[in-house]
Amino acid sequence: MEDIAYIKTPLGVAKIVGDAEGVSAITVLNSDEPLTDVIPESLEDAVYQLNEYFEGARTEFNLTLNPVGTEFQKKVWVELQNIPYGKSKSYLELAKALGDPNSTRAAASANARNPLWIVVPCHRVIGTDGSLTGYAGGLHRKQWLLNHESPAKQQSLF
């Protein structure tokens, strides 16, 4: 049986699912769930690293991942992890990195089915023209994440 934890993030409540084999899903919810008081041991690292990410103290994740998907989807999700923090890649560039520039739509579809929010950074994939395009968590969240990772963050004067 998989463990589940609900944690608060700046973008809403995140649901983290996993077990001793690794983290299988991280999703942001559009509803408020009761937060988890005691984080299951199998999810402690994920919670800790996500909190560090939101605090601006982490740019890479070091977690055992165990997502459910097709071989092609898993290949896309691995490639997404090669997009550095603070950088973005177009869907076409993603398809080329996978070795098939004609697989743009299939890569975009796999990107949209990414079950590991933030840790597998599907938010770093944008349209060829620089547009945000679709994002399962909502474009406002995608924009927030890209701004959060931007090396040229706007500094407040106050």
Side-chain angles (χ1 to χ4, degrees):
M1 190 164 122
E2 290 189 308
D3 294 321
I4 299 174
Y6 296 93
I7 64 167
K8 183 178 171 130
T9 77
L11 296 172
V13 174
K15 178 182 179 182
I16 305 168
V17 181
D19 56 26
E21 302 297 314
V23 179
S24 58
I26 302 172
T27 52
V28 62
L29 307 176
N30 289 318
S31 62
D32 286 333
E33 293 289 329
L35 301 180
T36 303
D37 292 328
V38 179
I39 304 298
E41 186 177 344
S42 67
L43 304 177
E44 286 177 348
D45 281 347
V47 169
Y48 182 77
Q49 290 184 35
L50 281 167
N51 284 331
E52 283 186 326
Y53 169 85
F54 283 115
E55 292 165 2
R58 176 171 291 277
T59 60
E60 293 180 13
F61 292 91
N62 183 19
L63 298 169
T64 301
L65 304 178
N66 191 21
V68 175
T70 67
E71 287 307 310
F72 180 76
Q73 287 172 333
K74 290 178 181 181
K75 183 178 174 184
V76 171
W77 301 336
V78 167
E79 186 58 39
L80 289 171
Q81 294 174 74
N82 293 326
I83 305 173
Y85 181 95
K87 302 289 184 191
S88 60
K89 189 176 266 195
S90 72
Y91 290 98
L92 177 59
E93 290 170 322
L94 177 60
K96 286 179 179 176
L98 292 165
D100 182 1
N102 295 321
S103 69
T104 303
R105 285 191 176 175
S109 177
N111 191 57
R113 288 175 175 75
N114 168 27
L116 292 160
W117 183 57
I118 297 177
V119 174
V120 174
C122 58
H123 61 277
R124 296 181 189 151
V125 182
I126 59 175
T128 304
D129 63 359
S131 63
L132 292 186
T133 67
Y135 185 64
L139 290 181
H140 68 288
R141 289 187 177 116
K142 183 171 187 167
Q143 185 66 65
W144 191 96
L145 292 167
L146 293 172
N147 289 346
H148 176 70
E149 295 181 3
S150 171
K153 285 183 192 160
Q154 297 235 340
Q155 299 296 318
S156 171
L157 296 175
F158 305 100

